[in-house]
Amino acid sequence: MSMEEAAAARDRAIDWLVRTQREDGGWGSSSIELFAESGFSVETYYAWQGASHGLAIMALQSAPSTPERLAAFERAIDWMCEQRLPQRGSDWDVDYSWSALYCFVAATRIAEDPRLAGTERLELLVQRGREWWGILERNETPSGGWAYYDDPPYTRRPKWATSFCTAAVAPAIERGMRLGWIEDPGHLERAIRVMERAALPNGAYSYNGSDAVPRAPVGESIDTVKGSLGRIQVCHWARRVLGEPSITNERLRWGLDQFFEHHVFLDQARMRPIPHEGFYANAGYFYLFAHYYAAEVIELLPEDEREAYHAQLRPHLVKCQREDGSVCDFLGSTYTVTGGTAYAALALGLGIARD
């Protein structure tokens, strides 16, 4: 798919975000919308709304600016700064980590946006960014990293981390340190060790980043390459951005080649309503996450190699786009559509030439 076709699809996705944004700057609902999502704490639906909001802000920030998009971007920042912070939902349900992860990532990016320089909005954003970090700091596991559930015996500080949550936020921790929001470098050092522990001999990354000795990826394990297509991308991206010398261009290419070779396992899981229902324990919501971080990985390759990979990636995103411009990979509640559309817009935008 050409760059021009991708730009049109990206614009349809961004226009959907602008069109569906509420007057108060938010998207969707903080309440349960589907029976299939019952069983979580009441607070979790608000947490998921917040996580998708962080992604939507990043998508609006990355798109070519128009008066309508800029107004939506500013309203979205205001919503993020003015709404109450989420809380832990229950003893096992720590899903508010998702809102902290993606809103912290968004805040560190927006803080460096020249359009906010010297404004009161930036001051409020910095304060809220520090508060998002406060949630992450309280929920960092003893061995480093972050996840979104806890196992018995339940403790105030959750005990296990996932490789992909940790990788998604690790580069933002470095930005937070540069911005002066984080003083202790140990948080980043421990996050890096989580990703190192999760790296398996087969090239995949284990789901659980807290195991001192990862489980052997045999049979249809989620820790095979076919079950790790998205985790390979986000962990390669984060480790390369953070300067890990072993993540060479060759490693990046290998991960992308595996992504496309085994893409069918992401395809067959997309929109399936039961988590991890697909082969190799793939879940529907792996799909757009994986494609966004694949696009980020492509941008780390030499410039003359990028377009061929982006051209291969784009059809897998656009084939999922609905007539109204939205994109979804799981169920269909408003938080999944908002976050999914933002992932698609971000991924498509990374492969479009900038003036």
Side-chain angles (χ1 to χ4, degrees), residues 151-184:
D151 295 321
Y154 300 114
T155 50
R156 189 201 61 77
R157 186 181 291 276
K159 297 178 295 299
W160 69 279
T162 66
S163 57
F164 52 94
C165 284
T166 305
V169 76
I173 296 174
E174 185 182 55
R175 283 198 302 274
M177 292 169 62
R178 191 168 62 244
L179 290 166
W181 299 0
I182 302 170
E183 296 181 359
D184 182 3

Side-chain angles (χ1 to χ4, degrees), residues 126-167:
V126 170
Q127 178 183 342
R128 181 47 57 101
R130 291 177 182 272
E131 291 171 338
W132 288 122
W133 172 249
I135 294 175
L136 293 173
E137 187 175 33
R138 291 194 301 275
N139 286 284
E140 182 185 1
T141 71
S143 59
W146 292 267
Y148 39 90
Y149 299 129
D150 196 19
D151 295 321
Y154 300 114
T155 50
R156 189 201 61 77
R157 186 181 291 276
K159 297 178 295 299
W160 69 279
T162 66
S163 57
F164 52 94
C165 284
T166 305

Side-chain angles (χ1 to χ4, degrees), residues 154-317:
Y154 300 114
T155 50
R156 189 201 61 77
R157 186 181 291 276
K159 297 178 295 299
W160 69 279
T162 66
S163 57
F164 52 94
C165 284
T166 305
V169 76
I173 296 174
E174 185 182 55
R175 283 198 302 274
M177 292 169 62
R178 191 168 62 244
L179 290 166
W181 299 0
I182 302 170
E183 296 181 359
D184 182 3
H187 301 291
L188 181 58
E189 293 167 3
R190 289 186 291 273
I192 291 171
R193 288 200 295 272
V194 168
M195 293 183 282
E196 290 173 347
R197 281 198 303 271
L200 299 171
N202 64 353
Y205 285 83
S206 64
Y207 195 95
N208 189 331
S210 295
D211 289 341
V213 180
R215 292 170 293 178
V218 297
E220 283 197 17
S221 166
I222 196 171
D223 290 340
T224 59
V225 169
K226 295 172 184 177
S228 181
L229 297 174
R231 295 193 303 282
I232 291 170
Q233 310 312 317
V234 68
C235 290
H236 276 179
W237 166 74
R239 296 179 73 194
R240 173 66 172 263
V241 168
L242 293 170
E244 169 54 50
S246 69
I247 309 301
T248 61
N249 287 341
E250 183 179 3
R251 287 281 299 278
L252 298 180
R253 293 186 198 102
W254 178 86
L256 289 168
D257 291 343
Q258 295 298 307
F259 178 85
F260 290 115
E261 180 179 350
H262 301 298
H263 193 276
V264 64
F265 296 107
L266 293 170
D267 280 325
Q268 64 87 32
R270 191 182 76 87
M271 296 304 296
R272 295 185 74 155
I274 301 174
H276 306 293
E277 184 182 6
F279 296 114
Y280 302 97
N282 279 289
Y285 46 81
F286 286 11
Y287 191 94
L288 292 167
F289 177 96
H291 287 71
Y292 165 55
Y293 289 105
E296 289 280 16
V297 168
I298 293 169
E299 288 296 291
L300 299 176
L301 290 172
E303 188 172 357
D304 61 352
E305 298 182 33
R306 296 174 194 168
E307 176 55 22
Y309 276 115
H310 280 303
Q312 196 173 356
L313 182 73
R314 292 167 186 147
H316 293 299
L317 290 160

Side-chain angles (χ1 to χ4, degrees), residues 21-45:
Q21 186 184 36
R22 299 194 309 267
E23 283 298 318
D24 67 356
W27 283 271
S29 169
S30 61
S31 302
I32 184 172
E33 299 177 21
L34 301 171
F35 178 78
E37 292 182 331
S38 61
F40 295 93
S41 72
V42 172
E43 184 72 358
T44 287
Y45 309 105

